[in-house]
Amino acid sequence: MLNFEEIWPSVPYILEGIGVTLKIVISASIIGIILGILLSLCKIGKIAPLRWFANFYTSIFRGTPLVLQLMIIHFGLPQLLGIQIEPLQSAILAFGLNSGAYISEIIRAGINAVDKGQVEASKALGVPYAKMMKDIILPQAIKNILPSLMNEFITLNKESAIVTVVGAMDIMRRAYVVGGANFTYFEPLLIAGAIYYVMTLILTFLGSMLEKRMRRSD
């Protein structure tokens, strides 16, 4: 029998976790996009060592569990380096590095999907490689891969719940704390699930609006 009467007073406390979750998702997304662009350019470039490094980096972060990467950064690095990393910092770093690997593959596919004639025309006009990528190729690639990027951000928003294992006070962690204080976990976890669901709906809506706007600008 569900009983939310004891849980309702703690709902504002759980909602405060939205700020922590958004801080992790937004910061990690920025790191992921920057890193993803750099890695994707390395993958399609002609410098073999950079191409090998980018592919190796991607294989490591795509081939191991995200929770393992998070725990290595939060618990392992302090042991090796003798420094203390805050849970929020560990979460942003782990999610950013992980997201960069996935986004690099998305961007690489988007770049490869751009009409080869664009590259040939740019070379014929003497446009420098960096300027060509920044002003011609990447903008077109971003338009093509926008749905995939939004899907990555939505996935990042949901997967951020695992930061509870390092003690970051996000939505999930706060729901767990409320459950422990009231000796009932089902109700606060349902509330946490509803919050994540609403956040996902909002992100999906914003992604659809952005995609439509970019199509109209073509």
Side-chain angles (χ1 to χ4, degrees):
M1 189 72 177
L2 296 178
N3 181 11
F4 286 92
E5 290 184 6
E6 295 182 355
I7 304 301
W8 286 128
S10 300
V11 170
Y13 173 76
I14 298 176
L15 289 173
E16 289 178 9
I18 294 176
V20 178
T21 297
L22 288 177
K23 194 175 293 184
I24 294 171
V25 172
I26 293 173
S27 300
S29 296
I30 294 173
I31 294 173
I33 290 174
I34 296 173
L35 186 58
I37 291 174
L38 294 176
L39 289 171
S40 63
L41 292 178
C42 290
K43 290 177 182 179
I44 65 174
K46 297 181 179 180
I47 303 177
L50 291 179
R51 192 166 61 248
W52 295 337
F53 169 78
N55 288 327
F56 176 72
Y57 178 97
T58 301
S59 69
I60 290 294
F61 279 90
R62 293 178 68 188
T64 56
L66 177 55
V67 66
L68 173 64
Q69 298 162 20
L70 175 61
M71 295 182 76
I72 286 176
I73 289 175
H74 187 72
F75 298 113
L77 287 185
Q79 176 187 336
L80 291 177
L81 305 178
I83 58 175
Q84 186 62 41
I85 305 178
E86 295 297 321
L88 187 62
Q89 297 171 339
S90 300
I92 291 173
L93 184 58
F95 278 91
L97 295 177
N98 180 274
S99 184
Y102 285 92
I103 291 178
S104 71
E105 283 296 287
I106 295 173
I107 295 177
R108 182 186 63 81
I111 292 174
N112 289 336
V114 175
D115 186 1
K116 301 298 181 183
Q118 299 280 346
V119 177
E120 295 173 0
S122 300
K123 290 181 178 179
L125 293 172
V127 179
Y129 180 80
K131 185 174 178 59
M132 176 187 69
M133 279 294 174
K134 180 174 71 72
D135 297 334
I136 301 174
I137 305 302
L138 279 177
Q140 294 184 59
I142 295 297
K143 287 184 178 181
N144 294 334
I145 63 176
L146 188 58
S148 297
L149 283 178
M150 286 307 303
N151 186 59
E152 171 64 19
F153 298 150
I154 290 171
T155 301
L156 187 60
N157 178 65
K158 293 184 294 184
E159 289 187 343
S160 66
I162 69 172
V163 300
T164 186
V165 301
V166 296
M169 297 302 290
D170 69 326
I171 299 168
M172 185 63 71
R173 182 69 179 181
R174 288 170 182 266
Y176 181 79
V177 170
V178 171
N182 293 276
F183 301 102
T184 175
Y185 290 93
F186 198 76
E187 292 87 348
L189 290 177
L190 277 180
I191 293 172
I195 295 171
Y196 281 112
Y197 181 64
V198 171
M199 291 176 68
T200 298
L201 290 179
I202 293 173
L203 284 174
T204 302
F205 174 75
L206 292 176
S208 299
M209 293 294 293
L210 181 59
E211 188 176 351
K212 290 178 181 178
R213 185 169 182 176
M214 292 189 73
R215 284 178 179 174
R216 288 198 298 266
S217 65
D218 289 342

